Amino acid sequence: MYQAIVFLPLIGFLAAGLFGRIIGPRPSELITTTLLIISAILSWVALMQVGFGSGATRVQVATWMQSGGMQVDWAFRIDTLTAVMLVVVNTVSALVHLYSIGYMADDEHRPRFFAYLSLFTFAMLMLVTSDNLVQMFFGWEGVGLASYLLIGFWFKKPSANAAAMKAFVVNRVGDFGFALGIFLVFWLTGSVAYDQIFAKMPEIATSTFRFIGFEWNAVTLACLLLFMGAMGKSAQFLLHTWLPDAMEGPTPVSALIHAATMVTAGVFMVARLSPIFEYSATALTVVVIVGAVTAFFAATVGLVQNDIKRVIAYSTCSQLGYMFVALGVGAYSAGIFHLFTHAFFKALLFLGAGSVIHAMHHEQDMRNMGGLRKHIPLTAAAMTIGTLALTGFPIFAGYFSKDAIIESAFAAHTGASSFAFVLLVTAAAFTSFYSWRLYFMTFEGAPRWGQAHGADEHDHSAHSTEEASHGAHTKDAHGHDDHGHAHTPHESPWVMLVPLAVLSLGAIFAGLAFKEQFIGHDYDHFWKGALFTGKENHILHAMHEVPGWVVASPFVAMVLGFLTALYCYVLSPGTPARIARRHEFLYRFLLNKWYFDELYDFLFVRPAKRLGYFLWKKGDGAVIDGLGPDGISARVVDVTNRVVRLQTGYVYHYAFTMIMGVGGLVTWYLLTRG
């Protein structure tokens, strides 16, 4: 069964990728989608067997490589954590495949698109089933490759190519740290297999390692390097800049990669390596601080964005910060719980946004929407459910998982966790505001189709460079002109609505159905040791004993955010514009994403370009070519040009040369003999 779960997406990739042009788009869609649906069903069966039944197992596939004393197996580590990730990856991927049949119906390159989706799914499955760090790194880089291919799928768009390259480069920064972390773990333990590594941790907990001129606790250094990889893959603060630009890819890509699966790889990695992180309080503190800052930062930026997909993208970035805070305070199951519920409602929001874009003829600017609830009521209902789940409305999925993280941050009673608690509650208020702002601007009020901009805070033309490249009057990759607002918005076909309905069920019931298993009384029976907690880690018990005001704080924040959005965008639509004019600097600061792109351009991109230009002109051109192939050939030409002048064709020139030669020879002979 487990081989089928992992390899069915690979078979779909090979079928659509190698034979897509032969069999055509429709068979490619049906083959890949059917295989993913089967894999998703089997994943749920696996979760029932592992989480509620027999427990963990190991499936040996092959011996992968052997070098000296290191042996790397290709094996599946099947425990509850793996089973949860299998459900998340394959369920969302299957629904995205089905949804894409309708969303990509007009694209002539559909076989390639579905092949890329299945390739990504296979790489992600390799990552989450890994039994050692090398196999995890293989899957890690595989999803990076597939992400690059999918973000730049519409390769004729310069912005899509730039976004794909940006995602690839920024992730290389994190992956460099991740690779160093793997090397250090192998140096410390002599193995890359999880069981051998985890068994050695008590022995090496106090070991030191000299790095960049400083003496480090070896485990702390390894954790920080590994977490650097998680920061890149999961778009954490400082390495987050690739995620919003990745929205250049088709909307199903956003739902699959940047909401539910790839960006959670870093969260999964830290949870999987909890037996290592539990031995470094310093590393866990760093995880808490980075996660809290990310949650707050992304939430502030999401307050003022206009592109419907980018609002949701910054929401994803913020929610990932919540997950890392949970991991950092030792509440690993709470972080994975939020990963699990988040997959349903965030995929729902992205696919719902895709349905809106489909209805609006590929318009993504919310300022050109409004009043859509009457025209696409099913999509509006799905987006309402997703918004309620994201903001943490009682009973909905996010209410159980996000609130558990906030409570665990308070219960940890450290300086970093107290800092995180304040930022997370603040971010919860911001999340509620921008989520309902998105809903009200899109579905309520008077229609603004065909107008330049809606009557909100952006009327005074404070547009960022990002907005200029995603304005209302451009053509998308399909060639649809965004001036097509004359057409009445229409509801999406059933093949797009069915995934919305399934994800809506998950957004409503996933939290309620699994809260006892993830953070409740059935915790030990469900996880069976898949997540490691140290002897002094009692956070799951402490989080249930926090004061009542702590429990109520995220709900109060959610209500305040909703009421503010209701007032600003329904009751008094002119208020946002007045606030933006009054606080021009703050508004531009948030609109331009804290100017991180401009800062990185100044610190890294421009110096790198200047260095490259210098090395090209002075190094490659002047030195290498000057002294190398071009230089030698030039000198040969110079010499031959001078030598050829001696060949005049006149006898007296040659006679004179001979006499000069004989004279020189005689002179040399007489001088040397004397």
Side-chain angles (χ1 to χ4, degrees):
M1 178 176 70
Y2 299 111
Q3 290 91 334
I5 292 174
V6 174
F7 290 118
L8 285 178
L10 177 62
I11 295 173
F13 159 69
L14 294 174
L18 297 179
F19 306 106
R21 292 187 177 183
I22 299 175
I23 63 178
R26 179 61 67 184
S28 298
E29 296 171 344
L30 296 178
I31 291 172
T32 54
T33 303
T34 301
L35 293 176
L36 255 299
I37 291 174
I38 296 173
S39 186
I41 294 172
L42 293 177
S43 298
W44 281 96
V45 174
L47 179 61
M48 295 300 107
Q49 286 186 354
V50 176
F52 298 94
S54 58
T57 186
R58 184 178 185 272
V59 180
Q60 177 80 12
V61 178
T63 298
W64 192 0
M65 64 182 79
Q66 188 167 357
S67 177
M70 183 185 73
Q71 177 173 322
V72 179
D73 292 332
W74 186 359
F76 302 151
R77 184 186 183 91
I78 307 298
D79 56 15
T80 305
L81 179 59
T82 303
V84 169
M85 295 303 298
L86 289 177
V87 166
V88 169
V89 173
N90 283 323
T91 301
V92 174
S93 182
L95 294 173
V96 166
H97 274 72
L98 181 62
Y99 180 95
S100 299
I101 293 176
Y103 190 86
M104 302 294 290
D106 297 329
D107 197 295
E108 59 181 334
H109 301 293
R110 295 197 301 282
R112 179 165 60 89
F113 180 76
F114 279 84
Y116 288 169
L117 288 181
S118 293
L119 173 64
F120 167 82
T121 306
F122 169 71
M124 192 69 194
L125 294 174
M126 284 291 294
L127 192 159
V128 301
T129 59
S130 61
D131 188 53
N132 56 73
L133 290 173
V134 175
Q135 185 178 333
M136 176 183 280
F137 191 76
F138 174 83
W140 194 274
E141 295 304 309
V143 295
L145 169 64
S147 174
Y148 171 81
L149 295 173
L150 285 166
I151 295 170
F153 177 76
W154 287 323
F155 55 86
K156 294 184 179 180
K157 287 178 64 178
S159 57
N161 287 324
M165 186 61 69
K166 185 176 182 180
F168 195 81
V169 171
V170 173
N171 273 274
R172 296 291 72 71
V173 176
D175 292 353
F176 176 71
F178 186 37
L180 291 180
I182 293 174
F183 297 154
L184 180 55
V185 169
F186 175 72
W187 184 86
L188 291 171
T189 64
S191 177
V192 293
Y194 295 149
D195 288 336
Q196 285 81 355
I197 293 171
F198 299 160
K200 288 284 186 69
M201 293 314 300
E203 301 176 20
I204 64 173
T206 58
S207 301
T208 59
F209 187 84
R210 191 165 185 83
F211 181 66
I212 57 175
F214 297 94
E215 200 75 19
W216 299 73
N217 176 278
V219 175
T220 295
L221 179 59
C223 290
L224 292 176
L225 290 172
L226 293 169
F227 180 61
M228 185 176 172
M231 289 176 64
K233 197 66 72 182
S234 295
Q236 291 301 281
F237 189 68
L238 301 181
L239 294 180
H240 66 276
T241 54
W242 66 271
L243 182 62
D245 288 359
M247 298 304 106
E248 288 289 344
T251 300
V253 173
S254 303
L256 176 62
I257 294 181
H258 309 118
T261 52
M262 190 189 84
V263 291
T264 62
V267 179
F268 165 79
M269 184 263 285
V270 175
R272 171 60 77 203
L273 302 182
S274 56
I276 302 178
F277 278 84
E278 277 288 279
Y279 283 92
S280 176
T282 302
L284 290 176
T285 299
V286 172
V287 173
V288 170
I289 294 174
V290 171
V293 172
T294 303
F296 176 78
F297 154 75
T300 62
V301 177
L303 296 174
V304 297
Q305 298 302 306
N306 300 311
D307 187 302
I308 188 172
K309 287 172 63 177
R310 286 172 188 263
V311 174
I312 305 173
Y314 277 106
S315 172
T316 298
C317 191
S318 181
Q319 298 304 306
L320 290 167
Y322 276 85
M323 299 175 202
F324 278 110
V325 168
L327 300 177
V329 299
Y332 301 103
S333 59
I336 298 300
F337 189 23
H338 197 49
L339 184 158
F340 180 74
T341 60
H342 177 266
F344 291 103
F345 60 74
K346 190 53 63 68
L348 173 62
L349 286 171
F350 264 117
L351 295 185
S355 184
V356 171
I357 295 168
H358 182 268
M360 293 296 294
H361 306 281
H362 300 275
E363 173 62 74
Q364 295 182 200
D365 194 326
M366 296 185 299
R367 295 168 297 178
N368 297 324
M369 298 181 186
L372 291 178
R373 179 169 54 85
K374 298 178 181 178
H375 299 276
I376 48 174
L378 298 179
T379 299
M383 291 291 283
T384 303
I385 293 172
T387 301
L388 290 170
L390 172 61
T391 57
F393 191 81
I395 303 302
F396 287 80
Y399 169 75
F400 297 98
S401 57
K402 188 166 73 172
D403 287 21
I405 293 174
I406 294 175
E407 292 164 13
S408 65
F410 181 87
H413 294 301
T414 65
S417 66
S418 299
F419 169 76
F421 171 75
V422 174
L423 291 190
L424 293 187
V425 174
T426 306
F430 291 165
T431 300
S432 180
F433 174 82
Y434 67 64
S435 298
W436 288 110
R437 171 180 177 266
L438 182 152
Y439 178 83
F440 292 140
M441 289 182 67
T442 303
F443 296 102
E444 303 297 335
R448 297 183 296 276
W449 317 327
Q451 299 179 20
H453 299 292
D456 65 7
E457 68 267 36
H458 309 289
D459 285 337
H460 64 300
S461 300
H463 300 150
S464 66
T465 304
E466 174 188 350
E467 290 179 285
S469 65
H470 294 83
H473 304 300
T474 58
K475 286 189 177 183
D476 68 292
H478 294 298
H480 296 106
D481 194 310
D482 285 337
H483 289 287
H485 299 306
H487 302 286
T488 302
H490 54 87
E491 190 63 270
S492 299
W494 70 267
V495 76
M496 294 171 63
L497 294 176
V498 168
L500 295 183
V502 175
L503 290 170
S504 295
L505 294 175
I508 297 172
F509 299 112
L512 182 63
F514 287 92
K515 66 182 181 68
E516 291 298 325
Q517 285 72 36
F518 279 88
I519 57 174
H521 299 297
D522 292 340
Y523 171 85
D524 291 331
H525 179 263
F526 182 71
W527 287 103
K528 300 180 180 67
L531 297 176
F532 176 80
T533 53
K535 295 180 180 179
E536 299 179 358
N537 187 341
H538 306 291
I539 190 68
L540 290 180
H541 177 73
M543 63 183 286
H544 293 295
E545 298 181 351
V546 297
W549 67 269
V550 174
V551 177
S553 60
F555 178 79
V556 173
M558 180 266 294
V559 172
L560 289 176
F562 168 76
L563 293 177
T564 305
L566 179 68
Y567 177 78
C568 290
Y569 292 95
V570 177
L571 303 179
S572 180
T575 299
R578 291 193 298 270
I579 296 175
R581 283 191 293 267
R582 191 177 308 152
H583 303 283
E584 179 72 17
F585 173 78
L586 178 60
Y587 169 69
R588 287 184 176 274
F589 181 72
L590 298 180
L591 188 65
N592 288 282
K593 304 153 291 185
W594 291 26
Y595 291 102
F596 267 104
D597 284 328
E598 290 78 3
L599 178 62
Y600 286 175
D601 184 66
F602 174 77
L603 292 178
F604 304 116
V605 178
R606 293 182 186 179
K609 285 184 176 180
R610 286 195 293 266
L611 177 62
Y613 186 83
F614 172 80
L615 294 176
W616 170 37
K617 290 296 185 181
K618 303 300 182 183
D620 191 44
V623 178
I624 297 177
D625 287 343
L627 299 178
D630 291 349
I632 294 174
S633 64
R635 299 296 76 77
V636 170
V637 171
D638 292 341
V639 172
T640 54
N641 284 337
R642 285 171 173 77
V643 171
V644 77
R645 292 178 182 176
L646 298 176
Q647 309 298 323
T648 63
Y650 295 107
V651 175
Y652 56 85
H653 285 170
Y654 299 146
F656 177 75
T657 302
M658 293 170 66
I659 293 172
M660 292 295 295
V662 170
L665 180 62
V666 171
T667 302
W668 172 79
Y669 177 77
L670 292 175
L671 291 175
T672 55
R673 185 178 181 183

